[in-house]
């Protein structure tokens, strides 16, 4: 629901009685809000498509043609492809009424991690065939539930899965990912295996996200993920630019700018020399040109 502010020409989001700023059948009127909400959604879903296979297949290797491969990196591409196919199917079924990108669900990580271990000791290889079969069964259940909702509405589902049940489940899923978040923050070259600059950057990102989500008004409350992530990157970049590049302190080297610098310069005899070409701009921005220094 939108309402004109009497003192300004800007449109203001007004919360519905249920607390929602935007209902499922509503959309922002301004293109700017469309774009920023779309960016946040794609970022969140894209991260899910990368994080889930990295966690599920962490430390899992397969041997093909006598060569050992790490599944964590191999499975990202098929995960993204499957998410794209699922999104197209979803959009067609819903007649594009609910523009949404479907991604991997963190709820199934434990089940998938255990499933790939079936017959692992007997064969010496992880069981990858069981995953598509299991996911197909999950999809079939989703279709059955959707059909029942179409016939009988959602009241029976709300009684079967009330908020008091769904809430703790979501909390448990989030807590199960806490170890992964802590591992990412504490990985570094510093003494003790962690870097306080990286930890502080992560904490700031988390706190800003929580504050924007809880206390934010209007558009800010809709995009806490983007604002929090950007704040964490800004702090990490400041640590790196001031501490590492400015003062030469390796401890502050949180973000690795070398992939970006290499697009516009080269190193000759230990000195970086500007080398700007047309190809530099064609290659920029390369995805993930800023990487964490570890």
């Amino acid at each position: 629901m939108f309402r004109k502010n009497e003192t300004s020409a800007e449109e203001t989001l007004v919360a519905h009685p249920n607390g929602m700023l935007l209902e499922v059948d509503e959309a922002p009127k301004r293109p700017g809000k469309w774009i920023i909400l779309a960016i946040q959604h794609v970022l969140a879903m894209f991260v899910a498509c990368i994080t889930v296979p990295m966690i599920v297949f962490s430390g899992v290797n397969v041997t093909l043609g006598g060569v050992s491969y790490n599944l964590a990196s191999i499975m990202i591409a098929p995960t993204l492809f499957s998410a794209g196919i699922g999104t197209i199917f979803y959009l067609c079924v819903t007649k594009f009424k609910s523009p949404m990108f479907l991604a991997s669900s963190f709820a199934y990580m434990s089940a998938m991690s255990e499933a790939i271990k079936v017959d692992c000791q007997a064969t010496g290889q992880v069981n990858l065939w069981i995953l598509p079969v299991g996911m197909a069964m999950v999809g079939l259940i989703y279709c059955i539930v959707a059909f029942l909702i179409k016939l009988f509405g959602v009241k029976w589902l709300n009684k079967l899965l009330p908020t008091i049940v769904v809430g703790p489940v979501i909390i448990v899923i989030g807590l199960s990912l806490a170890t992964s978040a802590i591992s990412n923050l504490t990985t570094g070259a510093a003494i003790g295996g962690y870097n306080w600059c990286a930890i502080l950057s992560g904490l700031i990102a988390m706190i800003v996200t929580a504050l924007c989500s809880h206390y934010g008004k209007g558009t800010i409350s809709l995009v806490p993920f983007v604002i929090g992530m950007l704040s964490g990157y800004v702090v990490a970049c400041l640590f790196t630019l001031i501490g590492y590049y400015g003062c030469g302190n390796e401890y502050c080297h949180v973000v690795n700018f070398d992939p970006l610098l290499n697009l516009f310069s080269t190193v000759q005899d230990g000195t970086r020399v500007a080398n700007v070409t047309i190809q530099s701009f064609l290659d920029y921005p390369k995805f993930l040109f800023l990487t964490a220094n570890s």
Side-chain angles (χ1 to χ4, degrees):
M1 182 186 299
F2 289 88
R3 187 170 61 195
K4 285 286 186 179
N5 192 323
E6 298 296 336
T7 59
S8 66
E10 295 184 359
E11 289 174 326
T12 304
L13 285 171
V14 180
H16 290 272
N18 60 2
M20 297 289 292
L21 292 178
L22 287 173
E23 290 286 3
V24 177
D25 58 344
E26 292 182 334
K29 293 183 178 180
R30 289 193 170 189
K33 288 188 174 69
W34 270 90
I35 294 174
I36 194 169
L37 287 173
I39 291 175
Q40 174 175 254
H41 184 65
V42 171
L43 284 175
M45 297 301 101
F46 195 80
V47 168
C49 286
I50 294 177
T51 305
V52 171
M54 288 184 65
I55 295 177
V56 172
F57 300 103
S58 177
V60 179
N61 298 318
V62 292
T63 302
L64 299 174
V67 181
S68 180
Y69 297 93
N70 183 265
L71 274 180
S73 57
I74 295 177
M75 294 302 292
I76 291 177
T79 301
L80 289 171
F81 178 80
S82 301
I85 296 297
T87 299
I88 294 174
F89 176 77
Y90 172 81
L91 292 175
C92 292
V93 170
T94 58
K95 299 179 181 179
F96 294 86
K97 293 181 180 179
S98 178
M100 183 179 295
F101 181 84
L102 303 184
S104 303
S105 174
F106 292 99
Y108 302 113
M109 286 198 309
S110 298
M112 289 190 292
S113 298
E114 294 301 320
I116 62 177
K117 297 177 183 178
V118 175
D119 295 332
C120 183
Q121 294 181 348
T123 61
Q125 295 285 342
V126 292
N127 191 345
L128 296 180
W129 285 105
I130 200 170
L131 289 183
V133 174
M135 292 298 101
M137 294 298 101
V138 171
L140 179 60
I141 294 175
Y142 279 173
C143 291
I144 294 174
V145 172
F147 181 71
L148 293 176
I149 290 176
K150 183 176 179 63
L151 292 178
F152 306 108
V154 298
K155 290 184 178 180
W156 66 274
L157 186 60
N158 291 332
K159 291 182 179 180
L160 181 65
L161 297 173
T163 305
I164 196 173
V165 174
V166 176
V169 171
I170 296 175
I171 292 174
V172 170
I173 295 173
L175 290 176
S176 67
L177 298 172
T179 55
S180 176
I182 294 174
S183 176
N184 290 333
L185 285 178
T186 55
T187 299
I191 298 175
Y194 58 87
N195 188 313
W196 281 108
C197 294
I199 294 175
L200 183 59
S201 301
L203 289 176
I204 289 177
M206 180 188 69
I207 293 172
V208 170
T209 302
L211 291 176
C212 291
S213 178
H214 189 73
Y215 296 105
K217 303 296 183 181
T219 305
I220 293 179
S221 64
L222 292 176
V223 289
F225 178 78
V226 172
I227 298 175
M229 184 179 64
L230 289 177
S231 64
Y233 265 106
V234 168
V235 173
C237 289
L238 288 176
F239 275 128
T240 303
L241 292 174
I242 298 175
Y244 177 70
Y245 288 102
C247 302
N249 190 342
E250 180 66 31
Y251 192 87
C252 297
H253 194 186
V254 182
V255 180
N256 183 15
F257 286 96
D258 288 343
L260 176 62
L261 295 176
N262 291 337
L263 292 177
F264 301 97
S265 62
T266 58
V267 178
Q268 299 178 1
D269 299 328
T271 304
R272 187 171 291 277
V273 180
N275 183 28
V276 181
T277 63
I278 296 178
Q279 190 64 36
S280 300
F281 295 96
L282 294 177
D283 289 342
Y284 177 82
K286 285 186 175 179
F287 182 67
L288 291 181
F289 57 84
L290 298 181
T291 58
N293 184 57
S294 59

